[in-house]
Amino acid sequence: PFDGPSFERIEPLWRSQLAYQAVATTCLYWATDYHPVVEWAAEQLAQNPNQLSEDLRLALGDLAMQRADSGLLQAALAGLDDGLSAAIRAAALIIDGQWATGQAAFEAALKQRKGEIGGTKRLLPDSIAWFYPLSLLAQSTPRHLELARKFCVGEAGKREPSPYAGWGRWVHAIDVRLG
């Protein structure tokens, strides 16, 4: 079983990395084995937010967005103004059903993220990136569907991705919808 006081005695850099891995794994795979570490990290955010790494705070923001926990989301992203935190905020808007506002916020976040890390693909973790095409599909116009397809093809890395893998499923669904 997880022991928070013992975990706190681990060297801070390693402790932060371990907590980040636990939160990120929970975000991607909903691995329940890591819930005690995730809850410990959330408690640390509430008690000592300045002692958590930016990566861990962003991962907690991702988790809070997926849980629709606005208090944790605000605490995790407080003072962060990078592209990833902007994308998490945009995804929260999309979860709230604000499709057009979320789309605009996502596009601004993607532009900011491109400037931060360069490149045009895989700018965001998959746990966050899928909200952008979701916002476009929800708007249901041919122009929005084409934008969603273009984004998904770019993320897949192939013009004709396999309909059985990752972003290819999105491309296939959009192709079916487009006719």
Side-chain angles (χ1 to χ4, degrees):
F2 177 74
D3 178 21
S6 295
F7 190 68
E8 289 179 24
R9 291 196 304 258
I10 297 173
E11 193 275 326
L13 180 64
W14 286 103
R15 182 178 61 230
S16 178
Q17 184 61 30
L18 289 169
Y20 167 80
Q21 289 296 329
V23 175
T25 301
T26 300
C27 288
L28 284 173
Y29 307 111
W30 289 98
T32 57
D33 296 344
Y34 297 110
H35 280 206
V37 180
V38 170
E39 295 309 317
W40 175 88
E43 287 174 17
Q44 293 303 305
L45 179 66
Q47 296 170 4
N48 305 308
N50 296 332
Q51 293 183 1
L52 297 183
S53 70
E54 188 173 317
D55 288 342
L56 179 53
R57 290 179 57 205
L58 287 166
L60 285 168
D62 184 0
L63 181 68
M65 179 262 312
Q66 292 182 35
R67 287 181 173 177
D69 184 339
S70 61
L72 180 60
L73 179 66
Q74 290 175 3
L77 301 182
L80 300 178
D81 62 353
D82 63 325
L84 186 53
S85 61
I88 293 170
R89 289 182 184 101
L93 291 171
I94 293 164
I95 288 172
D96 196 34
Q98 299 178 43
W99 312 120
T101 306
Q103 174 196 350
F106 233 108
E107 288 168 353
L110 287 168
K111 183 177 181 180
Q112 183 178 359
R113 192 81 172 140
K114 283 179 190 177
E116 292 169 356
I117 65 173
T120 58
K121 298 176 189 169
R122 300 287 183 181
L123 298 172
L124 300 169
D126 287 342
S127 64
I128 299 167
W130 70 276
F131 285 99
Y132 179 59
L134 178 68
S135 72
L136 296 167
L137 290 171
Q139 295 178 68
S140 296
T141 69
R143 181 173 89 39
H144 287 105
L145 293 175
E146 288 296 336
L147 279 172
R149 186 181 194 291
K150 181 180 177 183
F151 177 80
C152 293
V153 165
E155 291 295 294
K158 299 177 182 177
R159 287 180 192 235
E160 295 296 327
S162 168
Y164 302 104
W167 289 103
R169 291 184 189 118
W170 285 84
V171 173
H172 179 71
I174 294 166
D175 286 346
V176 168
R177 197 141 175 212
L178 285 170

